[in-house]
């Protein structure tokens, strides 16, 4: 049995270097997040090589800062949790190597955690889980509908067959000349425009699968055509129409799954779960469907990548100690 009294958690899957300290699965003593977003902005997206280099430059500062904030020493740590995937290979490597170095130097066991399970467990900071529950995981790299029948057991009901939702937000933002990451900017603009454009509703074979590439292409074509013809348009109206459709597609699948699966809770997870309209719509539609189902929204500070969520998943993980020989898996699947 792993001693999970004091977890040091290391998250470096994409463009945030984050270190957290979690005591007894309850007290978050530190959650240091060093975001690289400003450095990647000038390239319009995350540059993997730059991400690895910045993780390397920052990780020791973040570890020192987290230990200081938590007011603990290496000797107090009982378990080191690191993100084993999915994510950018070079970025993940920086995290696992830091974890291994501390493990060897201070004789502390290691536990690799799935980043997506981390996103799901971010809601554990504000609510207990009442199984069975359904969770919609929407991030820059993933869009998944997951059923949890008991603690740390995940059943993938459906996933995107092409682009992830966050990725579409970022591409739509780019064609509108907005900065990376596009999600928060589109979210804000969408509340200022009109639902003027009739965008396609994608067809997918799997009952609970998603598809977003057709919608993304439709928005890119719409904007490029208007630009070519010199037509005036408002980015706000494009953002509103796009976001309305995205939220409709996502919440439709959740409501559909509620017909088949009797659950006590519906959870949102992942970077896109910070989306205001998605949060409001899911609450309203689930309430309309069955007022006994509780909707749990992760706190905003825990929606985008951070080590606190990975620490929480590590606390509830039923996996055995990771070996010093283990590597990372950039394409780790929920059922691996
Ligand atoms: O989970 P996350 O931090 O990183 C990955 O694991 O991918 O998610 C980042 C994604 C980006 O695509 C970003 O544009 C999107 O989440 N995002 C949002 C919002 N805030 C972040 N998308 C829509 N609305 C938001 N408010
Ligand atoms: Zn993430």
């Amino acid at each position: 049995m792993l001693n999970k009294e004091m977890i040091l958690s290391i998250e470096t899957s994409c463009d945030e270097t984050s270190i957290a300290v979690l005591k007894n699965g309850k007290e978050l003593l530190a959650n240091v997040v060093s975001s690289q977003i400003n450095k990647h902005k000038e390239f319009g997206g995350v540059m993997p090589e730059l991400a690895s280099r910045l993780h390397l430059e920052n990780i020791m500062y973040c570890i020192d800062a987290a230990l200081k904030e938590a007011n603990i020493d290496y000797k107090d740590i009982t378990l080191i949790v690191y993100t084993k995937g999915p994510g950018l290979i070079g970025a993940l490597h920086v995290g696992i190597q830091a974890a291994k170095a501390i493990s060897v130097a201070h004789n502390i066991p290691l536990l690799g955690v799935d980043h997506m399970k981390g996103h799901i467990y971010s809601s554990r900071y504000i609510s207990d889980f009442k199984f069975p529950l359904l969770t919609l995981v929407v991030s820059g790299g993933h869009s998944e509908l997951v059923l949890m029948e008991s603690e740390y057991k995940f059943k993938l009901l459906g996933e995107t067959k092409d682009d992830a939702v966050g990725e579409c937000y970022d591409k739509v933002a780019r064609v509108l000349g907005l900065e990376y990451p596009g999600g928060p900017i589109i979210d804000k603009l969408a509340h200022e425009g009109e639902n003027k454009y009739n965008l396609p509703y994608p067809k997918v074979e799997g009952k609970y699968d998603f598809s977003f590439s057709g919608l993304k292409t439709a928005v890119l074509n719409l904007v490029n055509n208007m630009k070519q013809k010199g037509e005036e348009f408002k980015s706000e109206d494009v953002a509103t129409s796009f976001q309305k459709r995205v939220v409709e597609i996502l919440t439709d699948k959740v409501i559909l799954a509620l017909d088949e699966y009797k659950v006590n809770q519906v959870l949102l997870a992942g970077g896109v779960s910070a989306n205001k309209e998605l949060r409001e719509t899911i609450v309203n539609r689930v309430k309309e469907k069955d007022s006994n189902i509780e909707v749990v929204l992760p706190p905003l500070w825990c929606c985008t990548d951070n080590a606190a969520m990975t620490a929480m998943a590590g606390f509830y993980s039923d996996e055995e100690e990771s070996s010093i020989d283990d590597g990372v898996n950039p394409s780790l699947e929920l059922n691996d």
Side-chain angles (χ1 to χ4, degrees):
M1 263 307 253
L2 288 169
N3 176 351
K4 298 183 176 177
E5 238 167 80
M6 192 69 83
I7 292 177
L8 177 78
S9 168
I10 301 177
E11 153 64 37
T12 60
S13 65
C14 191
D15 58 349
E16 263 94 25
T17 316
S18 181
I19 309 292
V21 178
L22 179 66
K23 189 178 173 187
N24 295 323
K26 288 255 174 292
E27 263 179 276
L28 184 63
L29 302 184
N31 185 34
V32 172
V33 183
S34 165
S35 175
Q36 309 173 353
I37 281 177
N38 283 336
K39 297 271 167 52
H40 294 285
K41 253 180 193 161
E42 50 189 291
F43 304 101
V46 177
M47 291 287 284
E49 280 304 311
L50 178 62
S52 316
R53 214 171 69 213
L54 293 172
H55 283 308
L56 252 183
E57 282 173 15
N58 292 330
I59 195 154
M60 284 319 296
Y61 292 108
C62 293
I63 293 172
D64 285 346
L67 293 179
K68 200 167 169 207
E69 197 179 319
N71 199 19
I72 62 159
D73 198 356
Y74 284 111
K75 69 175 172 13
D76 302 313
I77 303 165
T78 60
L79 178 69
I80 303 165
V81 160
Y82 63 89
T83 306
K84 63 178 175 183
L88 303 170
I89 179 112
L92 290 165
H93 270 150
V94 177
I96 194 178
Q97 294 307 342
K100 286 184 180 182
I102 300 170
S103 167
V104 170
H106 300 277
N107 196 23
I108 309 169
L110 290 164
L111 180 65
V113 164
D114 181 325
H115 179 72
M116 303 319 289
K117 295 178 183 170
H119 273 303
I120 293 172
Y121 272 80
S122 60
S123 284
R124 203 62 176 246
Y125 280 98
I126 50 156
S127 173
D128 277 339
F129 285 0
K130 296 171 195 150
F131 304 105
L133 60 84
L134 187 67
T135 159
L136 176 68
V137 193
V138 275
S139 73
H142 292 78
S143 308
E144 296 169 343
L145 197 58
V146 179
L147 180 73
M148 287 183 76
E149 289 173 309
S150 57
E151 195 77 80
Y152 224 72
K153 294 283 175 280
F154 308 86
K155 191 170 161 192
L156 185 66
L157 301 183
E159 62 187 332
T160 181
K161 293 287 141 199
D162 37 60
D163 298 350
V165 193
E167 198 181 334
C168 283
Y169 266 94
D170 297 335
K171 297 265 166 63
V172 167
R174 198 195 288 202
V175 78
L176 291 172
L178 307 167
E179 278 188 336
Y180 170 84
I185 311 175
I186 299 263
D187 189 9
K188 190 168 171 285
L189 285 183
H191 291 88
E192 296 161 12
E194 273 177 56
N195 185 8
K196 220 171 140 176
Y197 304 104
N198 188 21
L199 297 169
Y201 190 107
K203 285 200 179 68
V204 230
E205 239 173 68
K207 193 172 174 190
Y208 300 119
D209 285 334
F210 303 100
S211 163
F212 291 101
S213 78
L215 175 61
K216 176 194 73 183
T217 310
V219 178
L220 302 194
N221 288 343
L222 172 76
V223 173
N224 286 331
N225 280 340
M226 290 192 293
K227 279 184 191 167
Q228 253 173 17
K229 289 185 197 150
E231 275 175 37
E232 281 203 11
F233 67 94
K234 284 195 197 151
S235 296
E236 290 87 333
D237 296 340
V238 177
T240 307
S241 310
F242 167 69
Q243 178 154 294
K244 279 263 174 306
R245 193 56 103 209
V246 167
V247 170
E248 183 188 9
I249 296 165
L250 291 173
T251 52
D252 276 357
K253 294 283 167 163
V254 171
I255 299 299
L256 188 66
L258 293 183
D259 280 334
E260 188 170 345
Y261 301 98
K262 181 104 194 71
V263 299
N264 294 314
Q265 288 177 321
V266 169
L267 263 60
L268 277 191
V272 182
S273 66
N275 189 274
K276 200 162 171 270
E277 191 164 340
L278 178 62
R279 291 167 83 93
E280 285 168 8
T281 311
I282 196 96
V283 168
N284 293 335
R285 292 194 66 185
V286 171
K287 201 201 254 167
E288 232 171 65
K289 176 92 184 158
D290 182 348
S291 58
N292 291 315
I293 301 173
E294 183 190 357
V295 178
V296 183
L297 305 172
L300 285 174
W301 64 264
C302 213
C303 286
T304 43
D305 294 347
N306 67 86
M309 65 184 204
T310 329
M312 193 56 101
F315 183 81
Y316 285 99
S317 168
D318 57 4
E319 288 175 33
E320 286 176 15
E321 177 180 346
S322 303
S323 154
I324 196 77
D325 300 324
D326 284 357
V328 292
N329 181 356
S331 4
L332 188 69
E333 305 264 349
L334 205 65
N335 295 327
D336 284 349

